[in-house]
Coordinates of all heavy atoms in Angstrom, one line a residue:
V1 N -65.6 -79.7 227.9 CA -64.6 -80.7 227.5 C -63.3 -79.9 227.2 O -63.4 -78.8 226.6 CB -65.0 -81.5 226.3 CG1 -63.9 -82.5 225.9 CG2 -66.3 -82.3 226.7
S2 N -62.2 -80.4 227.5 CA -60.9 -79.8 227.3 C -60.7 -79.5 225.8 O -61.1 -80.4 224.9 CB -59.7 -80.6 227.8 OG -58.5 -80.1 227.3
M3 N -60.1 -78.4 225.4 CA -59.9 -78.1 224.0 C -58.9 -79.1 223.4 O -59.0 -79.4 222.2 CB -59.3 -76.7 223.8 CG -59.3 -76.2 222.4 SD -61.0 -76.0 221.7 CE -60.6 -75.5 220.0
V4 N -58.0 -79.7 224.2 CA -57.1 -80.7 223.7 C -57.9 -81.9 223.3 O -57.7 -82.5 222.2 CB -56.1 -81.0 224.8 CG1 -55.2 -82.2 224.4 CG2 -55.2 -79.8 225.2
V5 N -58.9 -82.3 224.1 CA -59.7 -83.5 223.8 C -60.5 -83.3 222.5 O -60.5 -84.1 221.7 CB -60.6 -83.9 225.0 CG1 -61.5 -85.0 224.6 CG2 -59.7 -84.2 226.2
M6 N -61.1 -82.1 222.5 CA -61.9 -81.8 221.3 C -61.1 -81.8 220.0 O -61.5 -82.2 219.0 CB -62.7 -80.5 221.5 CG -63.7 -80.5 222.6 SD -65.1 -81.6 222.3 CE -65.8 -81.0 220.7
S7 N -59.9 -81.2 220.1 CA -59.0 -81.2 218.9 C -58.6 -82.6 218.5 O -58.5 -82.9 217.3 CB -57.8 -80.3 219.3 OG -58.1 -79.0 219.6
M8 N -58.4 -83.4 219.5 CA -58.0 -84.8 219.1 C -59.2 -85.6 218.5 O -59.0 -86.3 217.5 CB -57.5 -85.6 220.4 CG -56.2 -85.0 221.0 SD -55.8 -85.8 222.5 CE -55.4 -87.5 222.0
V9 N -60.4 -85.3 218.9 CA -61.6 -85.9 218.3 C -61.7 -85.4 216.9 O -61.9 -86.2 216.0 CB -62.8 -85.5 219.1 CG1 -64.1 -86.0 218.4 CG2 -62.8 -86.2 220.5
W10 N -61.6 -84.1 216.7 CA -61.7 -83.6 215.3 C -60.5 -84.1 214.4 O -60.7 -84.3 213.2 CB -61.7 -82.1 215.3 CG -63.1 -81.6 215.7 CD1 -63.5 -81.0 216.9 CD2 -64.2 -81.5 214.8 NE1 -64.8 -80.7 216.8 CE2 -65.3 -81.0 215.6 CE3 -64.4 -81.9 213.5 CZ2 -66.6 -80.8 215.0 CZ3 -65.7 -81.7 212.9 CH2 -66.8 -81.2 213.7
S11 N -59.3 -84.3 215.0 CA -58.2 -84.8 214.3 C -58.5 -86.2 213.8 O -58.1 -86.5 212.6 CB -56.9 -84.8 215.2 OG -55.8 -85.3 214.5
F12 N -59.1 -87.0 214.6 CA -59.5 -88.3 214.2 C -60.6 -88.3 213.1 O -60.5 -89.0 212.1 CB -60.1 -89.1 215.4 CG -60.8 -90.4 215.0 CD1 -60.1 -91.5 214.5 CD2 -62.2 -90.4 215.1 CE1 -60.8 -92.6 214.1 CE2 -62.9 -91.6 214.7 CZ -62.2 -92.7 214.2
L13 N -61.6 -87.4 213.3 CA -62.6 -87.3 212.3 C -62.1 -86.8 210.9 O -62.6 -87.3 209.9 CB -63.7 -86.4 212.7 CG -64.5 -86.8 214.0 CD1 -65.5 -85.7 214.4 CD2 -65.3 -88.1 213.7
L14 N -61.1 -85.9 210.9 CA -60.7 -85.3 209.7 C -59.4 -86.0 209.1 O -59.0 -85.5 208.0 CB -60.4 -83.8 209.9 CG -61.6 -83.0 210.4 CD1 -61.1 -81.6 210.9 CD2 -62.5 -82.8 209.2
S15 N -58.9 -87.0 209.7 CA -57.7 -87.6 209.2 C -58.0 -88.2 207.8 O -58.9 -89.0 207.6 CB -57.3 -88.7 210.2 OG -56.2 -89.5 209.6
P16 N -57.1 -87.9 206.8 CA -57.3 -88.5 205.5 C -57.0 -90.0 205.4 O -57.6 -90.6 204.5 CB -56.3 -87.7 204.6 CG -55.3 -87.2 205.6 CD -55.9 -87.0 206.9
A17 N -56.3 -90.5 206.3 CA -55.9 -91.9 206.2 C -57.0 -92.8 206.8 O -57.5 -93.8 206.2 CB -54.6 -92.2 207.0
N18 N -57.4 -92.5 208.1 CA -58.4 -93.4 208.8 C -59.5 -92.6 209.5 O -60.1 -93.1 210.4 CB -57.7 -94.3 209.8 CG -56.8 -93.5 210.7 OD1 -56.9 -92.3 210.8 ND2 -56.0 -94.2 211.5
G19 N -59.7 -91.4 209.1 CA -60.8 -90.6 209.7 C -62.1 -91.0 209.2 O -62.3 -91.6 208.2
L20 N -63.1 -90.7 210.1 CA -64.5 -91.1 209.8 C -65.0 -90.4 208.5 O -65.7 -91.0 207.7 CB -65.4 -90.7 211.0 CG -66.8 -91.1 210.9 CD1 -66.9 -92.7 210.9 CD2 -67.6 -90.6 212.1
I21 N -64.6 -89.1 208.3 CA -65.1 -88.4 207.1 C -64.5 -89.0 205.8 O -65.2 -89.2 204.8 CB -64.7 -86.9 207.2 CG1 -65.5 -86.3 208.4 CG2 -65.1 -86.2 205.9 CD1 -65.2 -84.8 208.6
S22 N -63.2 -89.3 205.9 CA -62.6 -90.0 204.7 C -63.2 -91.4 204.5 O -63.3 -91.8 203.3 CB -61.1 -90.1 204.9 OG -60.5 -88.8 205.0
Y23 N -63.5 -92.1 205.5 CA -64.1 -93.4 205.4 C -65.4 -93.3 204.7 O -65.7 -94.1 203.8 CB -64.2 -94.1 206.8 CG -65.0 -95.4 206.7 CD1 -64.4 -96.5 206.3 CD2 -66.3 -95.4 207.2 CE1 -65.2 -97.7 206.3 CE2 -67.1 -96.6 207.1 CZ -66.5 -97.7 206.7 OH -67.2 -98.9 206.7
A24 N -66.3 -92.3 205.1 CA -67.6 -92.1 204.5 C -67.4 -91.8 203.0 O -68.2 -92.2 202.2 CB -68.3 -91.1 205.3
A25 N -66.4 -91.0 202.7 CA -66.2 -90.6 201.3 C -65.8 -91.8 200.5 O -66.3 -92.0 199.3 CB -65.1 -89.5 201.3
R26 N -64.9 -92.7 201.0 CA -64.5 -93.8 200.3 C -65.7 -94.8 200.1 O -65.8 -95.4 199.0 CB -63.4 -94.6 201.0 CG -62.1 -93.9 201.0 CD -60.9 -94.8 201.4 NE -61.1 -95.2 202.8 CZ -60.5 -94.5 203.8 NH1 -59.8 -93.4 203.6 NH2 -60.7 -94.9 205.0
E27 N -66.6 -94.9 201.1 CA -67.7 -95.8 200.9 C -68.7 -95.3 199.9 O -69.4 -96.1 199.3 CB -68.5 -95.9 202.3 CG -67.7 -96.7 203.4 CD -67.6 -98.1 203.0 OE1 -68.6 -98.7 202.6 OE2 -66.4 -98.6 203.1
M28 N -68.7 -94.0 199.6 CA -69.5 -93.4 198.6 C -68.8 -93.2 197.3 O -69.2 -92.5 196.4 CB -70.1 -92.1 199.1 CG -71.1 -92.2 200.2 SD -71.8 -90.6 200.7 CE -70.4 -89.7 201.4
D29 N -67.6 -93.9 197.2 CA -66.8 -93.9 196.0 C -66.4 -92.5 195.6 O -66.3 -92.1 194.4 CB -67.5 -94.5 194.8 CG -67.8 -96.0 195.0 OD1 -66.9 -96.6 195.7 OD2 -68.8 -96.5 194.6
L30 N -66.1 -91.6 196.6 CA -65.6 -90.3 196.3 C -64.1 -90.2 196.5 O -63.5 -91.2 197.1 CB -66.3 -89.3 197.3 CG -67.8 -89.2 197.2 CD1 -68.4 -88.3 198.2 CD2 -68.3 -88.8 195.8
S31 N -63.5 -89.2 196.1 CA -62.0 -89.0 196.3 C -61.7 -88.8 197.8 O -62.6 -88.5 198.6 CB -61.5 -87.8 195.5 OG -62.2 -86.6 195.9
V32 N -60.4 -89.0 198.1 CA -60.0 -88.9 199.5 C -60.1 -87.4 199.9 O -59.8 -86.5 199.2 CB -58.5 -89.3 199.6 CG1 -58.0 -89.0 201.0 CG2 -58.3 -90.8 199.3
V33 N -60.7 -87.3 201.1 CA -61.0 -85.9 201.6 C -59.9 -85.6 202.6 O -59.7 -86.2 203.6 CB -62.4 -85.9 202.4 CG1 -62.6 -84.5 203.0 CG2 -63.5 -86.2 201.4

């Protein structure tokens, strides 16, 4: 997979506003990651 595509996927996962990791942290009542 292109490094550009992988970087965009990780950018989505790590986004503090709407990323999957931040969403999981909010669901567990943790601070914004």
Side-chain angles (χ1 to χ4, degrees):
V1 180
S2 169
M3 192 64 186
V4 174
V5 175
M6 292 300 297
S7 298
M8 293 177 66
V9 170
W10 280 103
S11 178
F12 164 73
L13 293 174
L14 296 168
S15 172
N18 53 11
L20 186 61
I21 295 176
S22 295
Y23 172 77
R26 287 194 297 269
E27 288 296 310
M28 293 185 292
D29 295 326
L30 300 176
S31 59
V32 176
V33 178

